[in-house]
Amino acid sequence: MPDITDDATRWDDIAARLRPGADGLVAAVAQQWDTGEVLMLAWMDAEALRRTLQTGRATYWSRSRQEYWVKGDTSGHVQQVREVRLDCDGDAILLRVDQTGPACHTGTRSCFDADVLLGAEDAA
Amino acid sequence: MPDITDDATRWDDIAARLRPGADGLVAAVAQQWDTGEVLMLAWMDAEALRRTLQTGRATYWSRSRQEYWVKGDTSGHVQQVREVRLDCDGDAILLRVDQTGPACHTGTRSCFDADVLLGAEDAA
């Protein structure tokens, strides 16, 4: 994978487009690239994004532990990154990934599997 | 659509599961229900979520304008909500919606269409 973070000018330009919230973070949505399933939402600062682009492994900032974490480093449930997109106002990133095993630390495929507040059958 | 916000106990229980960030907000991902396309990311507090569940129309909190907005009220590009899910740690909501027209204020279908930081062809 070509590493755009090697190009300092291009990287500075990307980092300058980020519009983090009060906590200095942007939201990162991980989506399984082939099925379209939304797997999880985590948080990134510019450094987490740089590491993700550089390594091709999804790397986030943990708000609870206040540290970087590479998805799957402890669990083995890695996210190989195929595509990274920034949204129109710079406060969200979409990662299209190939997820090994469950994305959620609870063991479900997606972090959105367990808690349905409104179901499609209700809306019908 | 049955309105779970009419049930005060159930609503209080949902609101108590939200784990907002420093700005008091959770991230809300809107996904087209049938194609799986991730359309946009916006922000919600408990009141925006309550209004969304109550009306079936995606309602967000605008960080820039500091006000609630109902998606499509000015543009006509409404999001009819079919499913609402809360993630495992309460800081993100997944809305499965039926999006009328472009989701992005720039006129593209998705807010993630324009700015590709890493493409699938790079990762191959």
Side-chain angles (χ1 to χ4, degrees), chain A residues 27 41 44 57 68 73 94 99 117 121:
Chain A
L41 185 137
M44 283 188 178
R57 292 276 305 278
Y68 296 104
D73 259 6
L94 178 62
Q99 170 73 51
L117 304 184
E121 61 281 7

Side-chain angles (χ1 to χ4, degrees), chain B residues 17-94:
Chain B
R17 294 208 292 283
L18 298 181
R19 292 283 176 274
D23 50 9
L25 302 171
V26 299
V29 180
Q31 180 183 35
Q32 176 65 30
W33 74 279
D34 49 357
T35 64
E37 191 179 12
V38 174
L39 299 169
M40 56 181 279
L41 185 138
W43 305 93
M44 283 188 177
D45 61 4
E47 174 61 16
L49 175 59
R50 195 189 62 77
R51 294 185 190 188
T52 298
L53 293 169
Q54 198 166 52
T55 64
R57 292 274 305 280
T59 305
Y60 303 107
W61 175 258
S62 168
R63 300 198 302 188
S64 54
R65 298 191 306 275
Q66 292 282 299
E67 62 183 19
Y68 295 104
W69 56 290
V70 180
K71 176 70 182 168
D73 260 5
T74 54
S75 65
H77 302 146
V78 301
Q79 291 176 342
Q80 195 64 43
V81 176
R82 297 178 56 97
E83 212 178 277
V84 181
R85 292 167 174 272
L86 184 62
D87 80 346
C88 57
D89 61 358
D91 67 353
I93 290 167
L94 177 62

Side-chain angles (χ1 to χ4, degrees), chain A residues 34-114:
Chain A
D34 50 357
T35 64
E37 192 179 12
V38 174
L39 299 168
M40 56 179 279
L41 185 137
W43 304 92
M44 283 188 178
D45 62 4
E47 175 61 17
L49 175 58
R50 194 189 63 74
R51 294 186 190 187
T52 298
L53 292 169
Q54 198 167 52
T55 63
R57 292 276 305 278
T59 306
Y60 304 106
W61 175 258
S62 167
R63 300 199 302 189
S64 54
R65 297 190 308 274
Q66 292 280 301
E67 63 182 19
Y68 296 104
W69 56 291
V70 179
K71 176 69 183 170
D73 259 6
T74 54
S75 65
H77 301 146
V78 302
Q79 291 177 341
Q80 195 63 43
V81 176
R82 297 178 57 98
E83 211 177 277
V84 181
R85 292 168 175 268
L86 184 62
D87 81 345
C88 57
D89 61 359
D91 67 353
I93 289 167
L94 178 62
L95 303 176
R96 291 175 64 91
V97 304
D98 195 12
Q99 170 73 51
T100 300
C104 192
H105 73 284
T106 64
T108 57
R109 174 70 174 167
S110 155
C111 290
F112 296 96
D113 281 348

Side-chain angles (χ1 to χ4, degrees), chain A residues 12-24:
Chain A
D12 288 349
D13 177 58
I14 290 172
R17 294 207 292 284
L18 298 181
R19 293 281 176 274
D23 50 10

